Amino acid sequence: MNEPFSDKPSFTALARFFAPLALQSASQGLTYPLVAMVASRGQGGPLNLAGLAQSNMVLFLLGTFGFGLVATGMVYGRNREGFGPFRSVVHRLALVAVTVQALLCMPPVARLLFEGLMGLPSSIAHPAHITLLASLPLQWLFFMRIPYQVSMYNGMAAGRASLATMMRIVITALLAPLFVFLGAVGPLWAIVCLTLPVALEVGASALLAAPFIRRLVPAGGPPPTLWELIRFNLPLSMSGYLLAMSAMLLGAFIARAADPERMLPAYYLALGLATPVAFGTTRIQEVVLAFQSPGNRDQRILFFAMAAGIVSGCLPLLFLLPGLAEFYYVRLQNLAAADLSVVRITAWALVAFPLTVAIRAQGEGLAALHRKPLAVIAGQAAYLATVLFLAAATLRLGLAGNLIGAVALAAGNLASTTTLRLLLDRMRKHDLPVPATTTLHGQIR
């Protein structure tokens, strides 16, 4: 039974709501380390993995057009009039993302992107070209699951919604070693190994969500316009956009540092475990929207965000344990044993990444709750400016490529949340009364 709404929700209630949301968000990245073994065992070894990582960064970057759609659906898609336009917006944004990705796959544009902008050597750029094209269906599928997931979250069936995601992870975990055993290895087969489980996840989500969609009741009011939904979604989507954009830009700086063919694979192997949990902590936004009222200054959710960020940041360190590190990075991911020390250093440097993302997400949730998108945009501008400045500065100072990203990511998130909170505090002093809204628990706030 769901705990009734309270201005001071317990950590248990917050965790029960947050965990399925985080799992849904992180699953896109959780399966990446599983299929990395398929990519790295093909001809080219870990260089295939670096190319796959770069194309996946572009995939995620374009996918963040809809990063805020879950929150949008949880606000506007709770009745029949709102769910139809919401699903229409999802389909339209999916079409935009897939179209832009297809344009980036054109050979001249792809060369400009990977070899020109990112500065990748041809040994890494070639698998990036192949996998970006092959992942077009994957991009579409990621969008198609959103309305089904949202309908279950609105029905307070987060556990039911996570069943399809768990199924997808299990199937991926079974397929990856099977592909290796059958010799179906390399970057192209890695994309196939990613796509098949996602297609099954979308089908399972549709079946699980069907009862909730049928039970949607009419609200009796006018439906929201498509522009209204897009305008609400855009600021929330920008945080995911910046995570993906900064990761892609950081790759360009690391590629220009010393020994890129050694540092890039090591960095992306460590980041491949840190990114999923960091993406998961961004769902603190929805926790704020669900459990906090505009007039409530309680810091409970901030403390929960910090706890979630600390736990999430420590999870990738489990793969540094003796024996497990050699098994995962060397045997499964085909990393040279001599480079394991580089991965260890990178993993420790990335511990603060999920924590700083969680704190930033809590601030962005407050800004969305108070309808202050300008504060969100200003924070995101500070994030990107800090990442670019520090990446350029540390590159010039000769910092090792695997550490450039870790330093810039953590500092960028801290700069973003500091800027956002300062602006939010100033804007609150001039607030007009916030209209009453309905929480997920049905209580007016």
Side-chain angles (χ1 to χ4, degrees), residues 174-196:
L174 294 174
L175 281 181
L178 178 62
F179 275 39
V180 172
F181 176 76
L182 296 176
V185 292
L188 186 59
W189 281 110
I191 293 296
V192 175
C193 190
L194 273 173
T195 305
L196 289 177

Side-chain angles (χ1 to χ4, degrees), residues 4-9 291-293 296 298 300-301 443 445:
F5 176 80
S6 168
D7 280 338
K8 294 185 178 181
F291 286 94
Q292 192 152 348
S293 59
N296 182 10
D298 182 55
R300 192 177 304 257
I301 295 178
Q443 178 165 325
R445 63 182 185 195

Side-chain angles (χ1 to χ4, degrees), residues 169-260:
I169 296 172
V170 170
I171 292 175
T172 306
L174 294 174
L175 281 181
L178 178 62
F179 275 39
V180 172
F181 176 76
L182 296 176
V185 292
L188 186 59
W189 281 110
I191 293 296
V192 175
C193 190
L194 273 173
T195 305
L196 289 177
V198 176
L200 294 173
E201 180 192 17
V202 173
S205 296
L207 292 175
L208 292 169
F212 297 93
I213 296 174
R214 285 196 300 266
R215 287 201 295 265
L216 289 174
V217 296
T225 64
L226 297 183
W227 173 240
E228 182 181 358
L229 295 173
I230 292 173
R231 190 171 54 192
F232 185 87
N233 168 73
L234 188 58
L236 299 178
S237 294
M238 285 294 290
S239 62
Y241 172 83
L242 288 179
L243 275 177
M245 180 71 172
S246 60
M248 185 177 70
L249 292 175
L250 284 172
F253 283 99
I254 297 170
R256 289 168 170 80
D259 204 5

